[in-house]
Short mmCIF file of all heavy atoms in Angstrom, two decimals:
data_model
loop_
_atom_site.label_atom_id
_atom_site.label_comp_id
_atom_site.label_asym_id
_atom_site.label_seq_id
_atom_site.Cartn_x
_atom_site.Cartn_y
_atom_site.Cartn_z
N SER Q 1 0.83 -1.21 0.00
CA SER Q 1 0.00 0.00 0.00
C SER Q 1 0.87 1.26 0.00
O SER Q 1 2.06 1.21 0.31
CB SER Q 1 -0.91 0.02 1.23
OG SER Q 1 -0.12 0.19 2.40
N LYS Q 2 0.24 2.38 -0.32
CA LYS Q 2 0.93 3.68 -0.27
C LYS Q 2 1.47 3.93 1.13
O LYS Q 2 2.60 4.36 1.30
CB LYS Q 2 -0.04 4.82 -0.61
CG LYS Q 2 -0.33 5.04 -2.04
CD LYS Q 2 -1.22 6.27 -2.16
CE LYS Q 2 -1.52 6.58 -3.59
NZ LYS Q 2 -2.31 7.80 -3.73
N GLU Q 3 0.63 3.66 2.11
CA GLU Q 3 1.01 3.92 3.51
C GLU Q 3 2.23 3.10 3.91
O GLU Q 3 3.14 3.59 4.56
CB GLU Q 3 -0.17 3.63 4.44
CG GLU Q 3 -1.35 4.57 4.26
CD GLU Q 3 -2.21 4.26 3.03
OE1 GLU Q 3 -2.12 3.14 2.47
OE2 GLU Q 3 -2.98 5.16 2.62
N ARG Q 4 2.25 1.83 3.51
CA ARG Q 4 3.39 0.95 3.84
C ARG Q 4 4.65 1.43 3.12
O ARG Q 4 5.74 1.43 3.70
CB ARG Q 4 3.06 -0.49 3.47
CG ARG Q 4 4.17 -1.46 3.74
CD ARG Q 4 4.41 -1.63 5.23
NE ARG Q 4 5.49 -2.59 5.43
CZ ARG Q 4 6.41 -2.49 6.36
NH1 ARG Q 4 6.38 -1.49 7.21
NH2 ARG Q 4 7.36 -3.38 6.47
N ALA Q 5 4.51 1.86 1.88
CA ALA Q 5 5.67 2.38 1.13
C ALA Q 5 6.25 3.61 1.81
O ALA Q 5 7.46 3.77 1.90
CB ALA Q 5 5.26 2.68 -0.31
N VAL Q 6 5.39 4.49 2.32
CA VAL Q 6 5.86 5.68 3.03
C VAL Q 6 6.59 5.27 4.31
O VAL Q 6 7.65 5.82 4.64
CB VAL Q 6 4.69 6.65 3.33
CG1 VAL Q 6 5.13 7.76 4.27
CG2 VAL Q 6 4.15 7.22 2.03
N GLU Q 7 6.04 4.30 5.04
CA GLU Q 7 6.71 3.80 6.25
C GLU Q 7 8.12 3.31 5.93
O GLU Q 7 9.08 3.64 6.63
CB GLU Q 7 5.94 2.63 6.86
CG GLU Q 7 4.70 2.98 7.63
CD GLU Q 7 3.99 1.71 8.11
OE1 GLU Q 7 4.67 0.70 8.39
OE2 GLU Q 7 2.77 1.74 8.19
N LEU Q 8 8.22 2.48 4.90
CA LEU Q 8 9.51 1.93 4.50
C LEU Q 8 10.47 3.03 4.07
O LEU Q 8 11.67 2.99 4.39
CB LEU Q 8 9.32 0.91 3.38
CG LEU Q 8 8.55 -0.36 3.76
CD1 LEU Q 8 8.16 -1.15 2.51
CD2 LEU Q 8 9.37 -1.22 4.70
N ALA Q 9 9.97 4.02 3.35
CA ALA Q 9 10.81 5.13 2.89
C ALA Q 9 11.30 5.98 4.06
O ALA Q 9 12.47 6.39 4.10
CB ALA Q 9 10.05 5.99 1.90
N ARG Q 10 10.43 6.22 5.04
CA ARG Q 10 10.83 7.02 6.21
C ARG Q 10 11.97 6.36 6.98
O ARG Q 10 12.82 7.04 7.55
CB ARG Q 10 9.64 7.28 7.13
CG ARG Q 10 8.70 8.35 6.62
CD ARG Q 10 7.58 8.59 7.63
NE ARG Q 10 6.68 9.62 7.17
CZ ARG Q 10 6.84 10.92 7.38
NH1 ARG Q 10 7.89 11.36 8.03
NH2 ARG Q 10 5.95 11.79 6.94
N LYS Q 11 11.99 5.02 7.00
CA LYS Q 11 13.08 4.31 7.68
C LYS Q 11 14.42 4.54 7.00
O LYS Q 11 15.46 4.45 7.63
CB LYS Q 11 12.78 2.81 7.72
CG LYS Q 11 11.66 2.44 8.65
CD LYS Q 11 11.40 0.95 8.63
CE LYS Q 11 10.21 0.60 9.51
NZ LYS Q 11 9.89 -0.84 9.45
N GLU Q 12 14.39 4.85 5.71
CA GLU Q 12 15.61 5.09 4.94
C GLU Q 12 16.04 6.55 4.95
O GLU Q 12 17.13 6.87 4.46
CB GLU Q 12 15.42 4.63 3.49
CG GLU Q 12 15.09 3.17 3.33
CD GLU Q 12 16.22 2.25 3.76
OE1 GLU Q 12 17.39 2.61 3.56
OE2 GLU Q 12 15.92 1.17 4.29
N ALA Q 13 15.19 7.43 5.46
CA ALA Q 13 15.46 8.87 5.39
C ALA Q 13 16.68 9.24 6.22
O ALA Q 13 16.90 8.70 7.31
CB ALA Q 13 14.24 9.65 5.88
N VAL Q 14 17.49 10.16 5.69
CA VAL Q 14 18.67 10.65 6.40
C VAL Q 14 18.36 11.95 7.15
O VAL Q 14 19.26 12.53 7.76
CB VAL Q 14 19.86 10.84 5.43
CG1 VAL Q 14 20.30 9.50 4.86
CG2 VAL Q 14 19.52 11.81 4.32
N PHE Q 15 17.13 12.39 7.10
CA PHE Q 15 16.68 13.59 7.81
C PHE Q 15 15.21 13.41 8.15
O PHE Q 15 14.57 12.46 7.68
CB PHE Q 15 16.88 14.86 6.95
CG PHE Q 15 16.14 14.83 5.65
CD1 PHE Q 15 14.86 15.36 5.55
CD2 PHE Q 15 16.71 14.27 4.51
CE1 PHE Q 15 14.17 15.32 4.35
CE2 PHE Q 15 16.04 14.24 3.31
CZ PHE Q 15 14.76 14.76 3.23
N GLU Q 16 14.66 14.28 8.96
CA GLU Q 16 13.24 14.21 9.32
C GLU Q 16 12.43 14.99 8.27
O GLU Q 16 12.47 16.22 8.23
CB GLU Q 16 13.01 14.79 10.71
CG GLU Q 16 11.58 14.65 11.20
CD GLU Q 16 11.11 13.20 11.27
OE1 GLU Q 16 11.90 12.32 11.66
OE2 GLU Q 16 9.94 12.94 10.93
N PRO Q 17 11.71 14.28 7.39
CA PRO Q 17 10.97 14.98 6.34
C PRO Q 17 9.75 15.71 6.88
O PRO Q 17 9.09 15.24 7.81
CB PRO Q 17 10.56 13.86 5.39
CG PRO Q 17 10.56 12.64 6.22
CD PRO Q 17 11.58 12.84 7.29
N GLU Q 18 9.49 16.87 6.31
CA GLU Q 18 8.29 17.63 6.65
C GLU Q 18 7.12 17.23 5.75
O GLU Q 18 5.97 17.30 6.17
CB GLU Q 18 8.54 19.13 6.48
CG GLU Q 18 9.59 19.69 7.40
CD GLU Q 18 9.97 21.12 7.06
OE1 GLU Q 18 9.49 21.67 6.03
OE2 GLU Q 18 10.77 21.70 7.81
N HIS Q 19 7.43 16.82 4.53
CA HIS Q 19 6.40 16.51 3.54
C HIS Q 19 6.75 15.21 2.80
O HIS Q 19 7.91 14.85 2.70
CB HIS Q 19 6.25 17.64 2.52
CG HIS Q 19 6.06 18.98 3.14
ND1 HIS Q 19 4.88 19.37 3.70
CD2 HIS Q 19 6.92 20.01 3.30
CE1 HIS Q 19 5.01 20.60 4.17
NE2 HIS Q 19 6.25 21.01 3.94
N VAL Q 20 5.71 14.59 2.25
CA VAL Q 20 5.88 13.37 1.48
C VAL Q 20 5.01 13.44 0.24
O VAL Q 20 3.86 13.86 0.31
CB VAL Q 20 5.48 12.12 2.31
CG1 VAL Q 20 5.56 10.87 1.46
CG2 VAL Q 20 6.34 11.99 3.54
N GLN Q 21 5.58 13.06 -0.89
CA GLN Q 21 4.81 12.86 -2.12
C GLN Q 21 5.10 11.44 -2.59
O GLN Q 21 6.23 10.98 -2.49
CB GLN Q 21 5.22 13.85 -3.22
CG GLN Q 21 4.79 15.26 -2.96
CD GLN Q 21 5.17 16.16 -4.12
OE1 GLN Q 21 5.87 15.79 -5.05
NE2 GLN Q 21 4.70 17.40 -4.06
N ILE Q 22 4.07 10.77 -3.09
CA ILE Q 22 4.25 9.39 -3.53
C ILE Q 22 3.55 9.19 -4.86
O ILE Q 22 2.49 9.77 -5.10
CB ILE Q 22 3.75 8.40 -2.46
CG1 ILE Q 22 4.07 6.97 -2.85
CG2 ILE Q 22 2.27 8.59 -2.19
CD1 ILE Q 22 3.87 5.97 -1.72
N ARG Q 23 4.16 8.38 -5.70
CA ARG Q 23 3.54 8.08 -6.99
C ARG Q 23 3.90 6.65 -7.40
O ARG Q 23 4.99 6.18 -7.11
CB ARG Q 23 3.93 9.08 -8.05
CG ARG Q 23 5.38 9.22 -8.29
CD ARG Q 23 5.71 10.68 -8.66
NE ARG Q 23 7.13 10.92 -8.60
CZ ARG Q 23 7.79 11.27 -7.51
NH1 ARG Q 23 7.17 11.41 -6.36
NH2 ARG Q 23 9.08 11.49 -7.54
N PHE Q 24 2.96 6.01 -8.06
CA PHE Q 24 3.15 4.65 -8.56
C PHE Q 24 3.60 4.74 -9.99
O PHE Q 24 2.96 5.39 -10.81
CB PHE Q 24 1.83 3.87 -8.46
CG PHE Q 24 1.94 2.46 -8.96
CD1 PHE Q 24 2.51 1.48 -8.17
CD2 PHE Q 24 1.47 2.12 -10.20
CE1 PHE Q 24 2.62 0.17 -8.63
CE2 PHE Q 24 1.56 0.82 -10.68
CZ PHE Q 24 2.14 -0.16 -9.88
N VAL Q 25 4.73 4.11 -10.30
CA VAL Q 25 5.25 4.11 -11.67
C VAL Q 25 5.69 2.70 -12.03
O VAL Q 25 5.90 1.86 -11.16
CB VAL Q 25 6.44 5.10 -11.84
CG1 VAL Q 25 6.00 6.52 -11.65
CG2 VAL Q 25 7.57 4.77 -10.89
N ARG Q 26 5.81 2.46 -13.31
CA ARG Q 26 6.31 1.17 -13.80
C ARG Q 26 7.68 1.42 -14.40
O ARG Q 26 7.90 2.43 -15.08
CB ARG Q 26 5.36 0.60 -14.84
CG ARG Q 26 3.96 0.40 -14.29
CD ARG Q 26 3.12 -0.47 -15.15
NE ARG Q 26 3.41 -1.87 -15.04
CZ ARG Q 26 3.17 -2.64 -13.97
NH1 ARG Q 26 2.65 -2.10 -12.89
NH2 ARG Q 26 3.45 -3.92 -13.96
N ARG Q 27 8.61 0.49 -14.14
CA ARG Q 27 9.93 0.64 -14.73
C ARG Q 27 10.54 -0.71 -15.01
O ARG Q 27 10.18 -1.70 -14.40
CB ARG Q 27 10.84 1.51 -13.86
CG ARG Q 27 11.25 0.92 -12.56
CD ARG Q 27 12.03 1.94 -11.77
NE ARG Q 27 13.28 1.36 -11.28
CZ ARG Q 27 14.08 1.94 -10.44
NH1 ARG Q 27 13.81 3.14 -9.98
NH2 ARG Q 27 15.18 1.36 -10.07
N GLY Q 28 11.48 -0.72 -15.94
CA GLY Q 28 12.17 -1.94 -16.29
C GLY Q 28 11.50 -2.71 -17.41
O GLY Q 28 10.40 -2.39 -17.85
N ILE Q 29 12.23 -3.74 -17.88
CA ILE Q 29 11.70 -4.65 -18.90
C ILE Q 29 11.97 -6.06 -18.39
O ILE Q 29 13.13 -6.42 -18.23
CB ILE Q 29 12.37 -4.45 -20.26
CG1 ILE Q 29 12.10 -3.04 -20.76
CG2 ILE Q 29 11.91 -5.49 -21.26
CD1 ILE Q 29 12.85 -2.68 -22.02
N PRO Q 30 11.00 -6.84 -18.06
CA PRO Q 30 9.58 -6.51 -18.10
C PRO Q 30 9.25 -5.49 -17.02
O PRO Q 30 9.95 -5.41 -16.00
CB PRO Q 30 8.89 -7.85 -17.82
CG PRO Q 30 9.88 -8.64 -17.05
CD PRO Q 30 11.24 -8.20 -17.56
N SER Q 31 8.24 -4.70 -17.27
CA SER Q 31 7.94 -3.61 -16.34
C SER Q 31 7.47 -4.14 -14.99
O SER Q 31 6.84 -5.18 -14.89
CB SER Q 31 6.89 -2.67 -16.93
OG SER Q 31 5.65 -3.31 -17.02
N ARG Q 32 7.86 -3.41 -13.96
CA ARG Q 32 7.51 -3.78 -12.59
C ARG Q 32 7.05 -2.51 -11.88
O ARG Q 32 7.66 -1.45 -12.04
CB ARG Q 32 8.73 -4.36 -11.91
CG ARG Q 32 8.45 -4.95 -10.55
CD ARG Q 32 9.57 -5.92 -10.19
NE ARG Q 32 9.40 -6.45 -8.87
CZ ARG Q 32 8.77 -7.58 -8.60
NH1 ARG Q 32 8.26 -8.29 -9.57
NH2 ARG Q 32 8.66 -8.02 -7.37
N GLY Q 33 6.00 -2.62 -11.11
CA GLY Q 33 5.47 -1.46 -10.40
C GLY Q 33 6.33 -1.11 -9.20
O GLY Q 33 6.76 -1.99 -8.45
N VAL Q 34 6.58 0.18 -9.04
CA VAL Q 34 7.33 0.67 -7.88
C VAL Q 34 6.65 1.92 -7.34
O VAL Q 34 5.94 2.62 -8.06
CB VAL Q 34 8.81 0.99 -8.22
CG1 VAL Q 34 9.56 -0.25 -8.64
CG2 VAL Q 34 8.93 2.07 -9.26
N TRP Q 35 6.86 2.15 -6.06
CA TRP Q 35 6.45 3.40 -5.44
C TRP Q 35 7.67 4.31 -5.38
O TRP Q 35 8.71 3.92 -4.86
CB TRP Q 35 5.94 3.17 -4.02
CG TRP Q 35 4.63 2.46 -3.93
CD1 TRP Q 35 4.43 1.19 -3.47
CD2 TRP Q 35 3.35 2.96 -4.26
NE1 TRP Q 35 3.10 0.88 -3.52
CE2 TRP Q 35 2.40 1.95 -4.00
CE3 TRP Q 35 2.90 4.17 -4.78
CZ2 TRP Q 35 1.05 2.11 -4.23
CZ3 TRP Q 35 1.54 4.33 -5.00
CH2 TRP Q 35 0.64 3.32 -4.73
N ALA Q 36 7.56 5.50 -5.92
CA ALA Q 36 8.60 6.52 -5.80
C ALA Q 36 8.14 7.47 -4.71
O ALA Q 36 7.15 8.19 -4.88
CB ALA Q 36 8.80 7.25 -7.12
N VAL Q 37 8.82 7.44 -3.58
CA VAL Q 37 8.42 8.23 -2.42
C VAL Q 37 9.40 9.39 -2.28
O VAL Q 37 10.59 9.18 -2.04
CB VAL Q 37 8.42 7.37 -1.14
CG1 VAL Q 37 7.92 8.19 0.04
CG2 VAL Q 37 7.57 6.12 -1.32
N SER Q 38 8.90 10.60 -2.42
CA SER Q 38 9.72 11.80 -2.27
C SER Q 38 9.54 12.34 -0.87
O SER Q 38 8.42 12.65 -0.45
CB SER Q 38 9.32 12.87 -3.28
OG SER Q 38 9.48 12.40 -4.60
N LEU Q 39 10.64 12.44 -0.13
CA LEU Q 39 10.65 13.00 1.21
C LEU Q 39 11.38 14.33 1.12
O LEU Q 39 12.46 14.39 0.53
CB LEU Q 39 11.39 12.05 2.17
CG LEU Q 39 10.95 10.59 2.14
CD1 LEU Q 39 11.96 9.72 2.87
CD2 LEU Q 39 9.58 10.44 2.75
N TYR Q 40 10.81 15.37 1.70
CA TYR Q 40 11.48 16.66 1.58
C TYR Q 40 11.14 17.60 2.71
O TYR Q 40 10.17 17.41 3.45
CB TYR Q 40 11.20 17.32 0.23
CG TYR Q 40 9.74 17.63 -0.05
CD1 TYR Q 40 9.23 18.91 0.15
CD2 TYR Q 40 8.87 16.65 -0.52
CE1 TYR Q 40 7.90 19.19 -0.11
CE2 TYR Q 40 7.56 16.92 -0.79
CZ TYR Q 40 7.07 18.20 -0.58
OH TYR Q 40 5.75 18.47 -0.84
N GLN Q 41 11.98 18.63 2.85
CA GLN Q 41 11.78 19.73 3.79
C GLN Q 41 11.65 21.01 2.99
O GLN Q 41 12.36 21.20 2.00
CB GLN Q 41 12.97 19.85 4.75
CG GLN Q 41 13.12 18.70 5.70
CD GLN Q 41 14.36 18.84 6.57
OE1 GLN Q 41 15.32 19.54 6.22
NE2 GLN Q 41 14.36 18.17 7.70
N GLY Q 42 10.77 21.88 3.44
CA GLY Q 42 10.58 23.15 2.75
C GLY Q 42 9.46 23.06 1.72
O GLY Q 42 8.77 22.04 1.62
N PRO Q 43 9.30 24.12 0.93
CA PRO Q 43 8.22 24.13 -0.07
C PRO Q 43 8.49 23.13 -1.19
O PRO Q 43 9.64 22.85 -1.53
CB PRO Q 43 8.23 25.57 -0.59
CG PRO Q 43 9.60 26.08 -0.30
CD PRO Q 43 10.08 25.35 0.93
N ALA Q 44 7.42 22.64 -1.78
CA ALA Q 44 7.54 21.61 -2.82
C ALA Q 44 8.26 22.12 -4.06
O ALA Q 44 8.97 21.36 -4.73
CB ALA Q 44 6.15 21.09 -3.20
#
């Protein structure tokens, strides 16, 4: 789930993020679904 992906991403963070953006994308051949979780501080 999105929520689980954010949890996993927060464990990898090297700083305390203020905001999170997440998107589902496909990559590779054969394509595989991944969550790209953006963690950031400050304005988007």
Side-chain angles (χ1 to χ4, degrees):
S1 68
K2 280 184 178 183
E3 294 77 17
R4 179 68 179 142
V6 170
E7 283 177 32
L8 294 167
R10 283 183 179 273
K11 289 179 184 177
E12 300 294 325
V14 295
F15 60 92
E16 185 59 39
E18 296 171 355
H19 308 285
V20 175
Q21 289 183 352
I22 186 167
R23 57 214 167 273
F24 180 79
V25 294
R26 302 195 76 69
R27 68 185 230 189
I29 298 173
S31 68
R32 188 160 176 93
V34 296
W35 290 110
V37 184
S38 300
L39 310 166
Y40 61 99
Q41 293 176 337

